[in-house]
Amino acid sequence: MLPYNIHHVAIAVSDLDAAIDAFATQYGFEILSRERIEEQGVEEAMIAVGGSHIQLLEPLEPMSPVGRFLSRNGEGMHHIAFAVADIEAALEHLETIGVRLIDSAPRIGGGGHRIAFVHPTALAGTLFELVEVGNE
Ligand code: CO
């Protein structure tokens, strides 16, 4: 299961178009995809940064999880996602050692990846996501 790589760092933004534009203009990053994920209440864009990504998240509604994050904290880093080869094995490992999970079973995230979130109280006050990447 180890080692993990960083798959993406997610940033909550209030204006996705403006943020995409700024990342492209200021740093010349390539925008890989943009999609609306109703289940998570976000529209997201993936930006290629070397072998990793920045994920921009704009809430679809103010009461969605990312919407509440934005109203509490303003724009900024929302979570860090680790790439895993086998998300069930990773979740089982974390559960076995008593780590508090937000998702005890995988759900489908951006790009059709299977994902799961780990509670921020589990480590460094930071929301971590696991992303199953297979052979990418
Ligand atoms: Co993410």
Side-chain angles (χ1 to χ4, degrees):
M1 180 167 62
L2 300 170
Y4 298 99
N5 288 320
I6 291 182
H7 183 269
H8 62 264
V9 173
I11 298 172
V13 300
S14 52
D15 182 339
L16 189 59
D17 290 322
I20 285 173
D21 213 53
F23 273 89
T25 306
Q26 292 179 27
Y27 297 99
F29 290 136
E30 183 194 352
I31 312 306
L32 294 179
S33 63
R34 178 174 180 154
E35 66 185 299
R36 202 178 156 94
I37 304 172
E38 300 284 347
E39 191 219 337
Q40 286 169 48
V42 294
E43 183 156 348
E44 73 167 47
M46 276 295 199
I47 298 173
V49 183
S52 189
H53 310 89
I54 286 176
Q55 179 184 64
L56 301 176
L57 300 172
E58 181 189 330
L60 297 176
E61 324 157 20
M63 290 317 289
S64 64
V66 175
R68 289 198 304 269
F69 174 92
L70 261 185
S71 62
R72 266 200 316 271
N73 308 292
E75 292 188 317
M77 206 198 81
H78 185 262
H79 64 268
I80 295 174
F82 295 126
V84 298
D86 180 342
I87 198 166
E88 261 108 12
L91 287 171
E92 195 185 317
H93 161 74
L94 293 172
E95 222 156 18
T96 302
I97 61 171
V99 170
R100 184 171 169 198
L101 302 175
I102 292 175
D103 302 307
S104 53
R107 51 190 163 114
I108 302 301
H113 290 293
R114 298 204 300 157
I115 64 164
F117 283 93
V118 180
H119 201 277
T121 55
L123 180 60
T126 301
L127 179 62
F128 289 104
E129 176 186 0
L130 306 176
V131 183
E132 190 174 71
V133 293
N135 295 322
E136 268 173 45

